[in-house]
Amino acid sequence: MTETRKLAKYLASLGYGSRKEMEVAIRRGRVTGWGEDVEFDGEPLDPGPGMVILMHKPAGYTCSHQDQGKLVYDLLPPRFLKRDPKISSVGRLDADTTGLLLFTDDGALLHRLISPKSDIPKTYEATLARPLEGFEKEFFASGSLILRGEDKPCLPAELEVTGERTARLTLSEGRYHQVRRMFAAAGNHVEALHRSRFGPLELGDLSEGAWRLLTEAERAGLAP
């Protein structure tokens, strides 16, 4: 395979276009540089396989490739969705939940991060329908809470009361709608939910709907 075809194949795997389209782009001078300094239309290439994206998910967006309505993937550059390997969200946040959401095309990393054995702490800020009653911190930390429809108790979770109807909950599991169901088991209802932290990662000043690539150091710290 010629160098042009190899480069065209690589560009196609990053989602810039088909192989034939990339061969034409190369011939027309849209691809410049060499080695690690290749540019497409004057811009550095996207990272190769192993890319991890951090997004500040807005409310109203679904973590799906196929559902109707607004999808979190709509917030990413269209070429990202044509990459091979495919980009997927690391777990899900329901449509009404905002906050830190990760994406990657690294299947092995994805499975490590969502595995029940990963033990990665995730922190959520909850706004509740009714005032907290005072027993919730001990209740969530007990390791004895069994959610409705399940038979295995939740792992101990740490609750920090931040207001009369607000709380910060840190847990190391990722069960279906877990935070909402935990507060429901405590006789309350979550009106708003925001994930502020995933392992060592925080949103910082990233605006709602925006995203950024993780640095190599952040990626290494996420799943050593």
Side-chain angles (χ1 to χ4, degrees), residues 24-43:
V24 171
I26 292 169
R27 289 197 298 269
R28 291 181 176 175
R30 296 176 64 192
V31 183
T32 57
W34 189 258
E36 296 181 359
D37 298 318
V38 176
E39 295 186 345
F40 188 89
D41 286 343
E43 297 291 334

Side-chain angles (χ1 to χ4, degrees), residues 46-53 80 83 87 103-106 109 211 213-214 219:
D46 298 328
M51 180 170 71
V52 184
I53 299 165
F80 280 15
R83 287 173 64 102
I87 284 181
F103 300 80
T104 186
D105 59 357
D106 184 335
L109 175 64
W211 59 272
L213 297 173
L214 290 196
R219 189 189 186 289

